Amino acid sequence: MVLLAAMQPASAQTAEAEADAPDDIVITGSLISRPDYQANSPIVSIGAESLESTGQITVERALAQMPQFAGGLGQSNTSSTGTGLNGGQAYATLRGLGSKRTLILLDGKRLQPSNPDGSVDLNTIPEALIGNIEVITGGASTTYGSDATAGVVNFRLKRDYSGLTLKATTGISNYGDGANYRVSATAGGNFDDGRGRAFVSLDYSKRERAKRRERPWYSDRTPQTGNAANPYGSALFSGNEPTLAAVNSIFHDKYGFDPFVASNGSQRYSGGAQIGFNNDGTLYTANNAPVVNFKGVESDDAYLVDSGNSIFGPSKQFKFGWTGADIQSDMERYMAMGRVDYDVTDSISAYGQFNFTTYKQFSIVNTTLSNNIYLQNIPYDSFFVPEDLRTILASRPNPTADFQFYKSWQAIGNRGQTYEYDVWQFMVGLTGKLGIGDLSWDLYGSTSSSDFKNGQTGGLSLSRMEALLASPTGGLGNCTDFNIFGDLPISDACKDYVMRDTLNTTNMRQDIVQGTLQGSLFPLPAGAVRFAVGASYRRNSFDYKSDDALDQPDGTSDIIGFAVLRSSAGAVNVKELFGELFVPVLHDLPLMQEFNLDLGYRYSDYNSIGGAHTYKVDFDWRVIDQVRLRGGYNRAIRAPSVGELYAPISTGSTSIGQAQAGTLAGDPCDYRSEYRRRAEAQVKQLCLAQGMSESTYGTTAAGFIGTSQIFPLTGGNPDLDEETADTWSFGAVLSSPFTSPLLNRIRMSVDWYNIKIKDAIGVLAITQSVQYCFNADGASNPTYDNNNYYCQLLARAPEGTLEPPTSQPLLNLGTFEVQGIDVQFDWAADLSDFGFGGDPGSLSFRTVVSYLDKFAVQNLPGAPTYDYAGTIGFSIESNAGAVHPTWKANTNLTYTLGGFDMGVTWRFIDKMKHSNSVTSNSAPQGIAAYHLFDLNVGYAFTKDIQLTAGVTNVFNRAPPSYSNTPETYESSNYDVLGRNFFMSLKARF
């Protein structure tokens, strides 16, 4: 087994593991315990010191720095308008395959999931108790059951506590925000003459907001078009346009401006052009029209940008530019954990364990926007409609129809999202020896629960707003002055009337009973054959209740800008039988000191998918003392989770990018899109077939401007089947053959892996449906037929925007295949061995390097397979990570002298192309290689008092932007916070 820990050699960690289990060791990935166990699968162990050197109060940032991990959510999970089931959570995602394919364990046992898809929230891990973290690449379902398809992350706890340990940590960013604080206390010891052992740990942590606008790599304004909602409001008339004569009677005859003339000869105010409202009751034009008579004031939250040509001449568009976003959310967390072990007899021990976490996060969300699918329909005769607009409305083909209304509601204020979690788990068990040979047994039961309350504040009720706008007096009750035409103040009485807070709740439960028996079967010339057998039962359930306002009887949401989310519930249970066999095949032969096989099988019976089989064949071959080979084959499965089967139907904001020439991105119907430049006639035919009006579509010179944000429907699918994963691995563990003190502490491992997942469960992303529907790859829809499968997932409003029932279905998709090589190199030496006199200290060096050879994705059976290795921007699911560099490395050099140590860490991510380049000849530019340096120092005043301090991102390196949309950063892998300072003090009593 190769181990990784800052400032601690591998042998020291092995000794620590043995101290926790003095007789036998059970390594992650196996059920069998035996002395001096060596791992057959690629495995890395991260020590507690490595976690401390990141300066973070949660573990996800430390894991994200390791080359095997590809990101996930975490402290950057901020400012979302989605009303989903993962707000505020932090995940680990191995190999970019998603958190639901990465099984999280605590001392080899399952934790309570915090998401119905089976993902475990890393915020519930008791960091103060972590001894080390073992990470396995590839399938491990034979050992642990479903979910371990990408790998396993096993958090191993320290056990032998004696006395009291106190620790305090604090940190702050270079910009004076994002401060964090943490205090923990752990006490433990023996009782009843050593028959019992117990510990308890209490932990409090707090993390404060870090603001986007404080960083120089975020601008207050960018020149590209975007969301057109603005505080003044504007009217649009898709499919029911007024006449140009009526518009000119106001802007030319009354205001004195040049008359509007359409370049296409139209006699109507068409082409998606809008009319806005000044505070004095007059009108202005913008958005698909030249700016005429605007009397307002631009701000960073609403400003005009060039949007190309319209049929009326060069146009400008208002751009919503909210600057109040966070890049780190706040969090306050309380944790408690305890464990008791007691020797009931000489051969039977009992144990009990509990852990509890409660935490709360709050994210500030931008003000409500009436746009896209949240456009308001305003009665033509609403009380405060300006007289000049009434004149224009009267010229429409249907003069008494409602008109549509864009607006950003700054006058109301920002919205908020609260995330409150209560997660607990109780476990009791018995373990002992049978008295027959070395046979031992273990039987335990666990019950756990996660309660999630997700609140939304500051939302606007659509029904209450419609009632106000339909009032013949312009008000209701105490709200008497609800004039929304212009950037006018809104009274507190009207705010109170239209605002509505909502609350959604989720309860999840997990119950487990498992028993195992293991020991030696019979001897062979090479050693004893050992076995482990067992049986288990597991049940997972969830019950989601959405606020009535988000789950209207007609299937809509009453809260403008907050998505539809319908109540749902379900449960999955599984009964399993499993076994593992360790066979020593050869021993003490030339070039074969040991050759062992590890065989495993598991049968799982689910109430959802029926029976499933998993199995493994691993080998361990010690060639000579300094060379050990390892590898094998694992068949794993991932049964659909309770959430994937029964998750509620919901909508959420999804970006499809900005349309522009030269890049197949954004809405293909946008007049600026590369799709239209390549196949104008076919694209027009398809856009109209999807529901867009011809007058809205326009020409390639002037026409429809699409939005980058759309709101597709997603939800569970009870007809899903299991995923299957085949993992092949082969590697070598090398130790130094040299006797020189400069070289005798070299250790190195090289591991090749290949993970292939079939029938992968995932959302068919709307970006892919748009691209394939409009034949971006030249093969998915060559006839531009609206009956194409991908096109049937899209729907358009007459004004052109993609709207529900546009959907992202959850399906058993095609295949994911990930292949690469991991390399780890460790070296240490005393400086005296270099010839320095006295006691000059020592150096240790460690580098962990990951090479990604393949990240191949086939979305549907029979569809093309695309390889995203070496690219950024593509993610197989929302929390899987969009970064797939060819090379990624984490390198550390540490100097130690007595109680003093100082370490420098270099984090490297290779250059990457944009993922669009895989499927298209045109794509946004890629990004350069990324280098980050961290510094940490520590000093032990005594063996019981230690001080640690450090700086992350020493040179305050900016993250790279990887999209045509400026300042698009991947915050799970790149540092968007900037330089950060931290300090911690630990004392033992």
Side-chain angles (χ1 to χ4, degrees):
M1 181 176 72
V2 177
L3 299 169
L4 166 65
M7 301 175 289
Q8 188 171 8
S11 58
Q13 287 198 34
T14 303
E16 180 180 73
E18 292 172 352
D20 290 342
D23 296 323
D24 293 323
I25 300 171
V26 180
I27 204 75
T28 301
S30 177
L31 297 168
I32 297 174
S33 62
R34 63 189 182 96
D36 304 319
Y37 197 98
Q38 302 288 343
N40 298 326
S41 300
I43 186 169
V44 169
S45 178
I46 306 168
E49 291 84 356
S50 293
L51 300 179
E52 293 177 3
S53 68
T54 66
Q56 301 295 324
I57 61 172
T58 54
V59 299
E60 92 274 356
R61 300 300 288 183
L63 292 181
Q65 293 176 14
M66 298 306 300
Q68 293 83 358
F69 292 87
L73 302 176
Q75 64 190 35
S76 56
N77 186 2
T78 60
S79 303
S80 170
T81 59
T83 47
L85 304 171
N86 63 358
Q89 295 184 9
Y91 300 126
T93 172
L94 277 166
R95 308 297 180 188
L97 293 172
S99 61
K100 62 189 180 185
R101 298 181 184 90
T102 302
L103 181 61
I104 306 296
L105 304 174
L106 186 66
D107 274 342
K109 293 181 171 59
R110 286 178 178 259
L111 288 162
Q112 167 63 43
S114 300
N115 188 310
D117 73 0
S119 299
V120 170
D121 181 6
L122 296 180
N123 288 317
T124 64
I125 301 294
E127 292 95 338
L129 298 175
I130 295 174
N132 69 305
I133 308 171
E134 293 177 349
V135 181
I136 276 188
T137 290
S141 290
T142 307
T143 305
Y144 301 112
S146 178
D147 306 328
T149 48
V152 175
V153 180
N154 186 15
F155 292 86
R156 286 192 173 274
L157 300 180
K158 303 171 186 175
R159 289 287 185 85
D160 294 332
Y161 282 97
S162 179
L164 173 66
T165 299
L166 301 177
K167 184 177 179 181
T169 301
T170 187
I172 195 167
S173 80
N174 188 69
Y175 301 96
D177 59 7
N180 59 74
Y181 317 91
R182 180 175 160 208
V183 178
S184 64
T186 304
N190 298 337
F191 61 94
D192 196 11
D193 296 326
R195 295 180 65 182
R197 298 159 300 282
F199 70 81
V200 63
S201 181
L202 304 176
D203 191 309
Y204 169 79
S205 57
K206 181 176 176 61
R207 186 178 66 204
E208 297 182 350
R209 297 173 55 203
K211 304 176 183 65
R212 169 191 174 111
R213 70 181 310 169
E214 297 296 329
R215 274 74 186 162
W217 41 87
Y218 287 103
S219 305
D220 289 337
R221 301 189 187 192
T222 55
Q224 289 75 15
T225 58
N227 195 313
N230 66 85
Y232 295 92
S234 58
L236 64 160
F237 316 98
S238 298
N240 191 27
E241 292 92 352
T243 64
L244 271 182
V247 173
N248 285 328
S249 72
I250 300 299
F251 283 88
H252 174 64
D253 300 347
K254 185 173 182 179
Y255 299 164
F257 295 98
D258 292 338
F260 289 99
V261 178
S263 60
N264 62 359
S266 174
Q267 296 303 304
R268 293 200 173 270
Y269 190 67
S270 56
Q274 300 180 18
I275 290 177
F277 308 98
N278 292 309
N279 289 350
D280 62 1
T282 61
L283 308 178
Y284 69 88
T285 61
N287 300 344
N288 294 318
V291 177
V292 176
N293 198 43
F294 176 62
K295 300 179 181 179
V297 177
E298 298 180 56
S299 70
D300 292 338
D301 289 330
Y303 53 95
L304 291 162
V305 296
D306 292 331
S307 58
N309 289 321
S310 71
I311 60 175
F312 303 113
S315 67
K316 289 194 173 186
Q317 176 191 313
F318 253 113
K319 182 174 182 178
F320 175 73
W322 185 53
T323 58
D326 293 340
I327 54 173
Q328 175 177 286
S329 61
D330 70 355
M331 179 180 74
E332 188 170 27
R333 180 182 63 176
Y334 297 86
M335 304 181 73
M337 182 172 183
R339 182 180 174 98
V340 176
D341 292 86
Y342 189 80
D343 298 332
V344 180
T345 69
D346 291 340
S347 59
I348 298 176
S349 297
Y351 57 89
Q353 181 174 298
F354 79 91
N355 53 282
F356 174 74
T357 302
T358 180
Y359 74 91
K360 181 176 181 179
Q361 293 197 39
F362 177 75
S363 293
I364 295 176
V365 183
N366 61 269
T367 187
T368 297
L369 305 178
S370 292
N371 68 334
N372 299 332
I373 65 170
Y374 297 111
L375 287 170
Q376 260 61 74
N377 291 315
I378 309 294
Y380 77 101
D381 58 352
S382 187
F383 184 81
F384 287 108
V385 172
E387 288 300 322
D388 291 349
L389 183 63
R390 292 176 187 265
T391 299
I392 293 172
L393 294 174
S395 70
R396 298 176 299 163
N398 184 355
T400 60
D402 293 349
F403 64 92
Q404 292 182 311
F405 183 71
Y406 259 75
K407 190 176 178 70
S408 58
W409 296 88
Q410 270 97 334
I412 297 290
N414 289 328
R415 294 171 292 171
Q417 286 256 38
T418 59
Y419 310 108
E420 297 183 41
Y421 291 90
D422 292 316
V423 183
W424 56 262
Q425 185 166 18
F426 289 96
M427 179 176 64
V428 293
L430 293 170
T431 185
K433 298 180 180 180
L434 284 180
I436 304 173
D438 62 353
L439 294 181
S440 62
W441 56 272
D442 182 86
L443 176 67
Y444 80 93
S446 169
T447 184
S448 55
S449 173
S450 172
D451 288 300
F452 173 34
K453 296 178 181 179
N454 176 209
Q456 297 83 37
T457 60
L460 302 186
S461 167
L462 177 61
S463 60
R464 296 177 186 179
M465 185 173 293
E466 288 176 339
L468 278 174
L469 295 172
S471 168
T473 63
L476 291 171
N478 293 327
C479 174
T480 59
D481 55 351
F482 193 62
N483 186 354
I484 63 174
F485 300 101
D487 187 14
L488 302 171
I490 294 177
S491 67
D492 289 342
C494 289
K495 288 181 183 179
D496 291 341
Y497 184 83
V498 298
M499 291 174 66
R500 178 172 176 180
D501 295 343
T502 52
L503 179 67
N504 312 308
T505 62
T506 306
N507 174 257
M508 299 178 58
R509 287 191 63 91
Q510 179 174 264
D511 297 299
I512 301 173
V513 177
Q514 178 171 302
T516 58
L517 173 70
Q518 64 170 295
S520 299
L521 278 178
F522 52 84
L524 290 176
V529 175
R530 299 183 64 84
F531 79 100
V533 295
S536 70
Y537 171 82
R538 184 174 74 254
R539 184 179 188 273
N540 291 88
S541 65
F542 93 107
D543 185 3
Y544 175 81
K545 291 183 172 60
S546 66
D547 194 284
D548 291 343
L550 302 174
D551 188 11
Q552 298 287 286
D554 62 356
T556 63
S557 169
D558 186 50
I559 307 301
I560 302 170
F562 276 123
V564 174
L565 198 51
R566 300 171 187 167
S567 297
S568 183
V572 172
N573 65 70
V574 58
K575 299 180 285 291
E576 298 182 290
L577 297 173
F578 50 87
E580 187 174 344
L581 194 65
F582 173 78
V583 183
V585 180
L586 297 169
H587 186 66
D588 289 339
L589 295 176
L591 299 181
M592 195 168 289
Q593 293 185 359
E594 290 183 56
F595 185 84
N596 306 312
L597 290 177
D598 190 7
L599 313 175
Y601 173 79
R602 178 180 291 254
Y603 176 74
S604 306
D605 182 18
Y606 287 86
N607 69 331
S608 55
I609 61 170
H613 307 267
T614 57
Y615 38 87
K616 71 174 183 177
V617 179
D618 289 337
F619 76 89
D620 169 30
W621 175 10
R622 183 173 292 280
V623 182
I624 58 176
D625 287 341
Q626 295 82 18
V627 179
R628 185 170 66 86
L629 305 180
R630 63 186 179 187
Y633 166 78
N634 278 263
R635 161 59 64 92
I637 68 156
R638 194 183 72 83
S641 67
V642 64
E644 290 168 325
L645 294 168
Y646 307 113
I649 301 297
S650 65
T651 61
S653 176
T654 300
S655 174
I656 59 172
Q658 289 283 355
Q660 61 180 332
T663 301
L664 290 176
D667 193 328
C669 300
D670 191 304
Y671 86 94
R672 304 164 297 176
S673 77
E674 181 67 18
Y675 295 88
R676 291 182 61 166
R677 294 175 183 272
R678 296 185 181 185
E680 167 64 12
Q682 295 92 327
V683 170
K684 179 178 181 179
Q685 168 192 325
L686 191 48
C687 293
L688 299 185
Q690 289 176 348
M692 177 182 282
S693 66
E694 187 165 1
S695 61
T696 298
Y697 183 82
T699 69
T700 54
F704 171 68
I705 295 179
T707 176
S708 63
Q709 297 293 321
I710 57 177
F711 297 81
L713 295 171
T714 59
N717 179 359
D719 297 323
L720 292 170
D721 294 319
E722 73 273 18
E723 301 176 351
T724 60
D726 294 307
T727 299
W728 294 89
S729 64
F730 179 78
V733 181
L734 311 173
S735 57
S736 175
F738 305 106
T739 59
S740 166
L742 293 178
L743 301 175
N744 65 1
R745 282 185 276 176
I746 291 175
R747 297 194 70 181
M748 183 177 180
S749 68
V750 181
D751 286 291
W752 171 86
Y753 65 89
N754 176 279
I755 306 170
K756 190 170 186 177
I757 299 175
K758 298 179 181 179
D759 298 320
I761 299 170
V763 170
L764 182 58
I766 191 64
T767 52
Q768 295 171 313
S769 295
V770 168
Q771 290 177 349
Y772 294 156
C773 172
F774 285 86
N775 202 38
D777 60 358
S780 53
N781 190 14
T783 62
Y784 290 81
D785 183 359
N786 194 41
N787 293 316
N788 174 275
Y789 172 79
Y790 299 104
C791 296
Q792 289 297 295
L793 300 174
L794 310 179
R796 289 186 186 272
E799 65 272 11
T801 54
L802 289 163
E803 64 175 6
T806 292
S807 61
Q808 297 186 128
L810 190 66
L811 304 169
N812 284 103
L813 301 173
T815 301
F816 305 146
E817 185 176 5
V818 181
Q819 179 174 290
I821 298 173
D822 289 338
V823 178
Q824 179 176 325
F825 180 85
D826 289 272
W827 167 84
D830 295 327
L831 289 180
S832 59
D833 296 325
F834 288 89
F836 294 96
D839 182 12
S842 63
L843 288 176
S844 62
F845 174 84
R846 178 208 68 211
T847 185
V848 182
V849 181
S850 180
Y851 168 74
L852 180 63
D853 178 56
K854 181 185 293 185
F855 194 94
V857 176
Q858 182 190 49
N859 284 308
L860 288 172
T865 297
Y866 299 109
D867 189 353
Y868 291 95
T871 71
I872 184 172
F874 173 82
S875 176
I876 64 172
E877 58 190 43
S878 61
N879 63 10
V883 175
H884 312 292
T886 303
W887 295 96
K888 187 177 181 182
N890 187 294
T891 302
N892 175 265
L893 179 65
T894 299
Y895 169 72
T896 303
L897 175 62
F900 172 80
D901 59 71
M902 180 173 65
V904 177
T905 299
W906 169 35
R907 291 183 267 157
F908 170 77
I909 303 177
D910 200 8
K911 63 182 179 181
M912 285 173 279
K913 297 179 180 179
H914 193 279
S915 58
N916 284 4
S917 65
V918 176
T919 58
S920 170
N921 292 327
S922 57
Q925 66 179 11
I927 61 173
Y930 187 68
H931 305 265
L932 221 61
F933 294 89
D934 305 327
L935 174 69
N936 62 278
V937 296
Y939 186 73
F941 296 95
T942 69
K943 67 176 183 178
D944 294 324
I945 300 177
Q946 300 169 343
L947 177 69
T948 302
V951 184
T952 60
N953 194 355
V954 172
F955 300 108
N956 204 30
R957 175 77 184 274
S961 180
Y962 67 90
S963 171
N964 284 331
T965 303
E967 300 169 5
T968 301
Y969 305 123
E970 213 286 342
S971 58
S972 295
N973 288 271
Y974 296 94
D975 188 356
V976 297
L977 286 172
R979 184 186 296 118
N980 193 73
F981 306 91
F982 66 91
M983 179 179 294
S984 67
L985 180 65
K986 181 191 293 185
R988 300 183 183 92
F989 303 93

